[in-house]
Amino acid sequence: MRATAGLALALVATLAACATPGRDAARPSSASADPYPSTYRAYPGVPTALVGATVYDGAGGRIDNGTVLIADGEVVAVGGPELPIPAGYTRIDAAGKFVTPGVIDIHSHLGDYPTPSVQAHEDGNEMTAPITPEVWVEHSVWPQDPGFTRALANGGVTTLQILPGSANLMGGRTVTLKNVPGRTVQQMKFPGAPYGFKMACGENPKRVYGGQGRAPSTRMGNFAVNRQAWLDARKYAKGNRDERDLGKETLAGVLDGEILVHNHCYRADEMALVLDMAKEMGYRVTAFHHAVEAYKIADLLREADVCSAVWADWYGFKMEAYDGIPENAALLHNAGACVVIHSDDENGIQRLNQDAAKAQAAGRRMGIAIPDAEVIGWFTLNAARAMGIADVTGSLEPGKMADVVLWNGDPLSVYSRPEKVWIDGALMFDALDPKRRPVSDFELGQPGEGDVK
Amino acid sequence: MRRAALLAAALSAWLVTPVAAQDFAIVGATVALGDGSEPIENGTVLVRDGRIAAAGAGVPIPAGIETIDGRGRWVTPGLFASLTDLGLWDVEAVEESNDTAADKSPFGAALDVTPAINPQSEHVKVSRAGGVTRASVAGFPGGSIFAGQGALIDLGADRDAVMQPRAFQFVTLAEQGGAIAGGSRVAAHALFRNALREAKSFDERGALAARRAGTRGDMPLDLRPIDPRMTGSTADRGDDVLLTRFDAAALIPVVNGDQPLYVEAHRASDILAVLALRDEFPQLKLVLVGATEGWLVAQEIAAARVPVITEPLVDLPARFEQLGSTQSNVGRMVDAGVKVAIGGFAGDNQPRYAPQQAGNLVALNRLPGATGLTWGEAFAAISSVPAEIAGLGGTLGVLRPGAHGDVVLWDGDPLELSSAPVRVFIDGVEQPLDSHQSRLRERYRTPQEGALPKAYD
């Protein structure tokens, strides 16, 4: 409890201090206000030593026969067999097993498109106007989505960003969650995580609104509508911010650098145009999501310091995905650009590690060798960086949140599964203990309850 | 060099005549026969005249035959992908390129997917490069609960994809069937029964029965005249019919048990309702598709000797008919004696993912309380079992003397994420593994342009 609250404060301070270029410090930013604050507190844990495992720290490091110490919700130490285990630690023999940071999915619709996938649950796209920066996805998230439990048990997911859908050019604010069950979404909100802002390029917005006979109906329409929205936002941001405007407050937060842009964008040429639009309007793109053609402009993306959040090998499902190739992630990595493996899928989120392994293998077959320890970073630290939470999670470093997965084998092998998952040092899943397996309200008393999933 | 030669061979196969099968032996490899057995180390696979001549340990190698060094590699039969949309779309969401569902067609059961299958689609090429050499292909239910007649194909780089047209009929009696039929499961079941009775009546009235003589028995599958739709029969039909003549005729082989009927159902009670259909239509050759809650009625499915084609990693209650979903579904059904194939590859769930899905079931076996498959069982679920369900047991999906020479050489354990096919043979003919994807990969090996734009690379 103490540790988490402290980290949250530290994170807010960090953001205020360094992530806000050009912001007028004297002016209170309405974007940083959080009227629906996180009430998450770490659940109780015991000081634990994971001993003898292959440890991937998420930051590119690998320790064979390693030891990881966690206590009071934090990573205490990571080292080799020489690392002393203090008194009072529960010792877990992890020989032959692997330890990684908790898996992070930067792109999920758990909660806003929950299962059962019935029409009444379609809460991810406010499909009534192409520009809806005023909506916050946390107001749609259903904490009882059974998908959260599968992501934990099968995927080792400890943190995830929920985004609005891609029907709109500006879809609204994202929310970053700890993957802990909660009665309320506030109980899941990642303390201190910056908000993200969902934008979408290409086919979806022009199809949805063009189909209604309104703008945008073309890609040039997409840009026109976006640019005008930015111009209006700039005017607001420079004017009287006390006059509240939900949409403009969010856009001003983006212009201030407090809210991170996550831009759904498949095609290379469109990503390049978006980068110029961001320059023109004075904001920054943090990550392109579903960037299936990122490999074509890996150099531009490296120079712009933009992450590409990608699937391993999805292709062909829509026109703008026709040029998807399995080597995308490896080519990006090889060019020095930032790679994040994402899911955008309630099933894929259960196997982000497997997607990363496939992407790594595709690279190796074309002569790009990427060490396992770096590949682990694709679904841990790189995701944390692009979500603005790398100071507190995403890697196994002393002082960071004890978000940890113990895998029963190599996490880049199809034959491995999470055996135990800790979130802030609390054991939230244990494959060996049915009592450490969450069951959502929805499944209680129904055929799916309590089964190994 | 070899790649260029293969491309040329593939091109000439497409343009002119089939390439001759080559005789070869792969030696020193880990061999998975596909029949459910565990892999054999340091084994040999011998292919002659387009057929498997021998496979296993201690196989003598004929003098003078081309040998392929398999050390450090794995050899398996080509994968058999059950119930796919292969060759039916170029871009799934580009409607005009997508032939998977005929929502606005007046026909249902009469729809025959055969003429729509495009062996040159990237979807086929990418799947072939993933080790898939055979598949069943069907459309989805669109305007009717009957999706129509599916085909069995090979994925060879030639013109002749279809091995067996009209190999099965596909109908949905799942939630979706209710929606299509008029708004409830009740309507779907009424529509289904009526359709089969109309087919039966049409058969009895017409001269079709006579034509059917010879459809059973020893004729090769691809020669069976299982399609009575074009007979031009003048037989009367009752005047209260719902089906078109074409649709009614198409269901005659179903109701007579000449053509398997693939039935989609997920909920346990829906599965039981499907099994009960045989009380009324005893000849039905049923195959269950989906069966998400199959594990809840596994004994009943096994007793009915009805095989299952399912997506093995479905573990969320995406629909109310899937409340009992679990990745242990396949393992529990197999343990109960049900024949289960991994399949249902449509859209983003593509046939090349079959090995990963099978591998996940092996991983599941290591978890307390969960039920997965052994390695041998898992590989069989993507090779011999789907072939058996397709009626091709012993000739495909298995390295057995006399079987088709569909052989894949892998750079490692085929179920492992890091592995991929190195060489693929269909009927003993080596296949190209190139595609639009592999060309893009080479063009963008370095993103920067050279002296000229990328379009000149």
Side-chain angles (χ1 to χ4, degrees):
Chain A
M1 190 187 266
R2 174 196 56 74
T4 305
L7 283 169
L9 286 173
L11 183 62
V12 171
T14 306
L15 287 166
C18 55
T20 56
R23 181 181 155 217
D24 180 354
R27 176 179 290 156
S29 169
S30 44
S32 63
D34 189 356
Y36 307 88
S38 170
T39 56
Y40 169 75
R41 298 289 179 272
Y43 287 85
V46 297
T48 302
L50 304 174
V51 182
T54 303
V55 178
Y56 293 122
D57 67 9
R62 170 187 174 135
I63 302 170
D64 293 320
N65 195 12
T67 294
V68 176
L69 303 180
I70 59 176
D72 298 326
E74 295 181 4
V75 176
V76 173
V78 181
E82 73 289 348
L83 186 69
I85 299 170
Y89 275 66
T90 300
R91 186 188 171 100
I92 293 178
D93 179 10
K97 298 173 183 175
F98 287 66
V99 177
T100 70
V103 175
I104 300 177
D105 191 359
I106 196 173
H107 195 117
S108 172
H109 294 292
L110 293 181
D112 68 350
Y113 281 104
T115 53
S117 309
V118 294
Q119 200 274 331
H121 273 167
E122 291 179 5
D123 287 316
N125 275 306
E126 183 51 44
M127 243 180 309
T128 49
I131 301 283
T132 57
E134 67 273 18
V135 304
W136 296 23
V137 80
E138 64 201 62
H139 300 146
S140 275
V141 169
W142 185 42
Q144 301 300 339
D145 183 351
F148 289 116
T149 68
R150 310 299 196 273
L152 177 72
N154 295 334
V157 172
T158 57
T159 300
L160 65 174
Q161 176 172 238
I162 313 302
L163 300 91
S166 54
N168 296 350
L169 296 166
M170 295 182 172
R173 287 200 197 194
T174 74
V175 67
T176 293
L177 303 177
K178 283 275 183 179
N179 193 15
V180 291
R183 289 176 294 152
T184 67
V185 72
Q186 293 92 323
Q187 288 178 298
M188 304 174 76
K189 281 180 73 173
F190 194 112
Y195 278 107
F197 182 55
K198 172 69 179 288
M199 295 184 67
C201 291
E203 290 181 18
N204 291 5
K206 80 186 186 96
R207 183 185 69 245
V208 169
Y209 294 100
Q212 298 174 11
R214 56 191 289 205
S217 69
T218 60
R219 283 183 160 87
M220 58 186 172
N222 286 351
F223 273 83
V225 175
N226 267 329
R227 292 171 76 208
Q228 190 58 54
W230 285 120
L231 290 177
D232 295 347
R234 282 157 59 103
K235 196 168 164 189
Y236 172 85
K238 286 176 187 154
N240 177 17
R241 293 197 188 189
D242 294 335
E243 196 73 29
R244 291 205 63 185
D245 180 310
L246 285 179
K248 302 269 179 11
E249 284 172 10
T250 291
L251 294 177
V254 173
L255 293 168
D256 289 345
E258 290 184 358
I259 297 178
L260 310 179
V261 171
H262 295 274
N263 203 138
H264 155 127
C265 211
Y266 286 70
R267 260 174 35 185
D269 56 315
E270 277 187 294
M271 286 186 260
L273 287 169
V274 168
L275 290 177
D276 276 354
M277 175 165 66
K279 263 188 226 160
E280 179 191 15
M281 296 299 169
Y283 71 95
R284 189 179 130 62
V285 179
T286 295
F288 286 117
H289 291 228
H290 317 340
V292 302
E293 287 192 7
Y295 66 95
K296 296 184 182 180
I297 52 164
D299 49 345
L300 303 186
L301 294 168
R302 179 194 59 235
E303 286 154 24
D305 192 24
V306 180
C307 289
S308 299
V310 301
W311 301 285
D313 57 1
W314 285 19
Y315 99 100
F317 49 97
K318 60 198 301 200
M319 193 62 229
E320 58 195 0
Y322 196 60
D323 283 2
I325 65 172
E327 295 84 0
N328 192 22
L331 283 165
L332 284 163
H333 186 94
N334 195 43
C338 163
V339 174
V340 180
I341 296 290
H342 73 354
S343 80
D344 186 32
D345 182 78
E346 67 273 25
N347 296 300
I349 195 173
Q350 302 177 42
R351 290 177 283 280
L352 287 170
N353 57 313
Q354 296 185 19
D355 248 22
K358 289 198 293 182
Q360 176 195 31
R364 193 180 55 246
R365 282 192 290 276
M366 72 174 295
I368 299 172
I370 305 168
D372 292 353
E374 292 179 27
V375 170
I376 299 296
W378 292 353
F379 54 88
T380 57
L381 188 58
N382 285 9
R385 281 185 184 135
M387 290 159 66
I389 52 175
D391 289 347
V392 292
T393 190
S395 61
L396 301 176
E397 295 173 53
K400 282 198 172 183
M401 293 168 169
D403 297 339
V404 181
V405 182
L406 174 67
W407 305 81
N408 66 3
D410 178 356
L412 298 178
S413 164
V414 77
Y415 301 123
S416 303
R417 295 264 174 158
E419 185 176 298
K420 292 180 169 60
V421 183
W422 290 265
I423 299 178
D424 284 302
L427 183 61
M428 302 306 285
F429 173 72
D430 186 349
L432 311 179
D433 178 4
K435 289 182 178 162
R436 292 280 169 170
R437 185 174 297 143
V439 176
S440 73
D441 287 357
F442 176 73
E443 295 193 285
L444 204 59
Q446 303 217 56
E449 178 187 351
D451 197 359
V452 176
K453 290 295 176 179
Chain B
M1 190 69 163
R2 190 169 64 82
R3 175 172 293 143
L6 276 173
L7 264 179
L11 203 58
S12 68
W14 179 260
L15 294 176
V16 200
T17 48
V19 182
Q22 52 193 112
D23 293 351
F24 60 92
I26 302 174
V27 299
T30 303
V31 176
L33 298 175
D35 60 0
S37 60
E38 295 300 306
I40 300 160
E41 303 213 348
N42 196 18
T44 297
V45 176
L46 182 60
V47 177
R48 305 191 82 161
D49 300 325
R51 297 267 164 179
I52 305 297
V59 173
I61 300 164
I65 198 166
E66 179 195 350
T67 60
I68 297 169
D69 185 359
R71 282 175 297 176
R73 295 179 166 177
W74 288 55
V75 189
T76 70
L79 306 182
F80 195 115
S82 244
L83 209 50
T84 73
D85 55 9
L86 280 169
L88 295 184
W89 52 258
D90 296 301
V91 174
E92 195 193 359
V94 173
E95 279 181 33
E96 57 272 32
S97 88
N98 185 326
D99 294 313
T100 53
D103 299 57
K104 299 176 197 76
S105 170
F107 299 109
L111 299 170
D112 174 0
V113 80
T114 303
I117 294 170
N118 174 19
Q120 293 203 100
S121 87
E122 290 302 317
H123 196 15
V124 170
K125 292 183 199 169
V126 167
S127 300
R128 182 167 66 223
V132 180
T133 64
R134 309 274 169 163
S136 51
V137 179
F140 310 145
S144 162
I145 61 171
F146 291 97
Q149 304 180 80
L152 306 180
I153 67 166
D154 70 61
L155 277 72
D158 56 50
R159 296 180 186 187
D160 302 318
V162 175
M163 305 186 268
Q164 186 186 344
R166 300 176 294 281
F168 57 95
Q169 175 69 241
F170 181 29
V171 68
T172 176
L173 292 175
E175 275 184 10
Q176 186 197 5
I180 294 171
S184 81
R185 286 175 169 80
V186 181
H189 272 268
L191 199 144
F192 178 85
R193 283 172 167 76
N194 176 70
L196 263 58
R197 292 200 187 283
E198 283 191 25
K200 203 167 182 175
S201 158
F202 192 24
D203 190 25
E204 285 160 2
R205 282 165 179 260
L208 299 175
R211 291 183 59 86
R212 218 177 52 250
T215 59
R216 298 194 186 87
D218 303 328
M219 293 185 72
L221 283 169
D222 55 355
L223 294 180
R224 287 186 189 183
I226 206 167
D227 182 14
R229 298 170 303 161
M230 303 293 200
T231 52
S233 166
T234 54
D236 288 339
R237 301 179 65 207
D239 54 11
D240 64 343
V241 295
L242 203 57
L243 295 189
T244 69
R245 175 182 294 267
F246 212 31
D247 286 316
L251 287 171
I252 291 171
V254 170
V255 75
N256 288 327
D258 290 327
Q259 186 185 55
L261 179 65
Y262 288 22
V263 188
E264 183 185 12
H266 296 279
R267 200 169 70 183
S269 66
D270 287 343
I271 294 169
L272 294 178
V274 169
L275 298 180
L277 291 171
R278 281 212 296 227
D279 296 340
E280 293 166 66
F281 305 101
Q283 305 298 322
L284 290 182
K285 276 173 69 178
L286 295 173
V287 174
L288 274 167
V289 174
T292 305
E293 293 189 344
W295 63 278
L296 290 168
V297 288
Q299 300 296 340
E300 288 81 356
I301 300 172
R305 305 182 70 79
V306 171
V308 170
I309 299 169
T310 191
E311 296 174 53
L313 302 185
V314 169
D315 65 355
L316 281 165
R319 299 186 296 270
F320 273 88
E321 62 186 349
Q322 297 179 308
L323 285 181
S325 65
T326 167
Q327 293 181 25
S328 291
N329 188 35
V330 171
R332 290 173 185 165
M333 287 193 288
V334 167
D335 285 354
V338 181
K339 188 188 291 266
V340 184
I342 290 174
F345 297 104
D348 293 337
N349 178 24
Q350 301 187 353
R352 62 201 163 110
Y353 299 144
Q356 181 185 2
Q357 295 176 4
N360 270 273
L361 296 186
V362 178
L364 202 63
N365 248 359
R366 295 171 61 183
L367 285 186
T371 309
L373 298 177
T374 65
W375 196 98
E377 288 171 338
F379 192 81
I382 58 174
S383 54
S384 63
V385 174
E388 286 168 20
I389 292 174
L392 300 166
T395 66
L396 282 164
V398 66
L399 298 176
R400 171 189 297 179
H404 287 270
D406 287 20
V407 177
V408 180
L409 183 64
W410 305 76
D411 59 11
D413 173 352
L415 302 189
E416 188 53 278
L417 303 163
S418 55
S419 303
V422 181
R423 300 176 76 171
V424 174
F425 300 84
I426 296 178
D427 284 326
V429 178
E430 181 151 26
Q431 299 295 319
L433 303 181
D434 294 74
S435 65
H436 178 62
Q437 290 192 340
S438 62
R439 299 296 302 278
L440 283 166
R441 174 189 73 211
E442 293 311 316
R443 173 172 279 186
Y444 288 97
R445 191 174 267 279
T446 54
Q448 296 87 355
E449 282 87 358
L452 283 170
K454 286 288 179 190
Y456 296 84
D457 284 2

